[in-house]
Amino acid sequence: MIVRRLLDWFFRSRDTGAITIAQWPNLVLWIVIVAGLLLWIWPSQGSASFVLTMVVKGGLVIWGADEIIRGVNPWRRCLGAAVVVYEVITLVP
């Protein structure tokens, strides 16, 4: 019973009341997806690759921060925090 209530609290949307694990991508995440696809299709060592990499990493940090602040449930906030932590860790050499 306690586990069920904990899972319900963790995954239930505060906006709609529905269980929310994933959502349709917002504009920032669409930009990250497009930049990631371009990097995958067109891998290079030039400045275009650098810019696309920064768009992906910067976009993920922005998306993660948005989820931390405005996530619809604790799961989405934890997911955003994990993405931000991962991106910060991988930026530091």
Side-chain angles (χ1 to χ4, degrees), residues 6-25:
L6 178 65
L7 290 173
D8 190 56
W9 170 81
F10 196 66
F11 291 108
R12 183 132 342 245
S13 170
R14 303 309 187 258
D15 295 339
T16 65
I19 298 295
T20 304
I21 295 172
Q23 295 175 304
W24 195 253

Side-chain angles (χ1 to χ4, degrees), residues 8 13-15 21 25-27 29 41-42 44 47-48 54 56 61-63 68-69 73-74 77 85-87 90:
D8 190 56
S13 170
R14 303 309 187 258
D15 295 339
I21 295 172
N26 60 14
L27 178 61
L29 204 49
I41 292 168
W42 180 32
S44 69
S47 60
M54 290 300 107
V56 169
V61 168
I62 291 168
W63 174 83
I68 292 168
I69 295 166
N73 58 28
R77 290 188 178 124
V85 167
Y86 175 79
E87 289 302 324
T90 59

Side-chain angles (χ1 to χ4, degrees), residues 14-87:
R14 303 309 187 258
D15 295 339
T16 65
I19 298 295
T20 304
I21 295 172
Q23 295 175 304
W24 195 253
N26 60 14
L27 178 61
V28 173
L29 204 49
W30 277 117
I31 292 169
V32 168
I33 290 167
V34 169
L37 284 172
L38 288 173
L39 267 173
W40 182 60
I41 292 168
W42 180 32
S44 69
Q45 298 300 322
S47 60
S49 178
F50 175 77
V51 169
L52 287 172
T53 301
M54 290 300 107
V55 168
V56 169
K57 290 189 172 291
L60 285 173
V61 168
I62 291 168
W63 174 83
D66 184 49
E67 285 295 332
I68 292 168
I69 295 166
R70 298 185 317 143
V72 297
N73 58 28
W75 159 250
R76 299 291 297 178
R77 290 188 178 124
C78 289
L79 182 62
V83 169
V84 170
V85 167
Y86 175 79
E87 289 302 324

